Amino acid sequence: MSRHQQRLMTALDALDRAFASEEPFPVSGCTYCYGAQDLVELSGPLDLIADDLVSAVAAEVPNHWDDFPRLYRRLTPRIIRPAVTGRLHIDENLIASRLVAAGWTTWDAPLTTALHEVWSAWWQATLHTHPSPVPIRKTLSLITVATGTLRPWLDIWTTTRVPAADTHLADLIDDVLLEYEITDLHMGFYEEYDASAELLSWLLTDVHDRADDARLDDPYLLE
């Protein structure tokens, strides 16, 4: 395990400890989609909630729950660990949008600090590992929408000059230049974040020479 992957595992363990203060509470919500046993299970010990039920709640619309922010906050460690290791099998854009809806940046400082460390560690581990458990575009989208900012993550990529980061760069270019999606690129399940201008500018300036892709010289993009 590389030092970057070890840092991510350490950050995930710290996330577990930080959120351990979130006590169980009586969960109530849509009884059409969730049976009484599901609600009982969600109201009990975190480690006894079935993976399938965690996945269902992770993707569910907020209005299915009487106290969505509290439920999502309590389940956050069970959602984030499989999400960043590629085992949750839910659209990463959806996870980001749900975290924003749950107001994660307003949570108590120990919780938000632990999540920020996961984002940072995950990004570094991704840039230093190819292939990565989660595709680079999905990783970038999740942390961008969750944190509400793209440029800091691009700046880290700019200074990360390793083969894996450059291979990820080629992958991203292939993805966003398909039918010139880059000219109208939004991130988030609800397309909350307009990434077009920032990402295109970065590709045409900061990493243009590293990209070595003739498509970036297309006059259509330069305009």
Side-chain angles (χ1 to χ4, degrees):
M1 182 182 295
S2 72
R3 64 185 178 89
H4 299 287
Q5 292 168 328
Q6 182 58 57
R7 180 190 170 194
L8 176 57
M9 293 301 104
T10 299
L12 290 171
D13 290 343
L15 188 74
D16 289 342
R17 292 192 296 272
F19 280 79
S21 61
E22 292 297 310
E23 297 289 341
F25 70 98
V27 174
S28 55
C30 176
T31 55
Y32 180 82
C33 297
Y34 296 90
Q37 182 55 45
D38 294 328
L39 299 179
V40 169
E41 193 170 324
L42 289 170
S43 304
L46 187 63
D47 59 344
L48 296 183
I49 302 174
D51 291 341
D52 288 347
L53 185 54
V54 171
S55 295
V57 176
E60 192 60 83
V61 292
N63 63 12
H64 266 51
W65 311 103
D66 291 343
D67 192 345
F68 164 75
R70 186 177 181 185
L71 176 59
Y72 216 86
R73 184 170 66 242
R74 182 165 180 258
L75 292 180
T76 289
R78 291 288 309 274
I79 294 170
I80 296 302
R81 184 181 291 269
V84 305
T85 54
R87 295 183 291 106
L88 190 58
H89 308 303
I90 292 176
D91 186 345
E92 286 77 10
N93 284 304
L94 186 56
I95 298 302
S97 295
R98 293 289 183 263
L99 281 168
V100 171
W104 79 270
T105 57
T106 68
W107 298 348
D108 291 343
L111 308 185
T112 59
T113 297
L115 270 171
H116 275 295
E117 175 57 18
V118 169
W119 305 145
S120 180
W122 183 31
W123 187 230
Q124 288 284 7
T126 298
L127 291 177
H128 285 83
T129 306
H130 191 281
S132 53
V134 179
I136 190 71
R137 179 174 174 177
K138 292 185 175 182
T139 300
L140 182 60
S141 180
L142 194 160
I143 59 178
T144 294
V145 174
T147 61
T149 183
L150 172 60
R151 189 68 207 195
W153 309 109
L154 296 181
D155 288 343
I156 292 171
W157 200 342
T158 301
T159 59
T160 306
R161 294 181 171 272
V162 297
D166 289 343
T167 305
H168 279 306
L169 179 59
D171 290 345
L172 181 71
I173 291 172
D174 280 339
D175 196 346
V176 301
L177 289 189
L178 181 64
E179 299 182 355
Y180 290 99
E181 184 185 1
I182 185 63
T183 60
D184 186 23
L185 180 64
H186 289 75
M187 295 177 173
F189 189 75
Y190 303 103
E191 300 188 343
E192 302 99 306
Y193 194 98
D194 185 350
S196 301
E198 288 176 282
L199 187 56
L200 181 57
S201 174
W202 179 73
L203 290 173
L204 294 177
T205 56
D206 299 53
V207 294
H208 182 276
D209 293 340
R210 287 167 62 185
D212 191 26
D213 193 310
R215 290 174 295 178
L216 292 177
D217 296 319
D218 189 317
Y220 174 74
L221 293 182
L222 297 177
E223 291 174 2

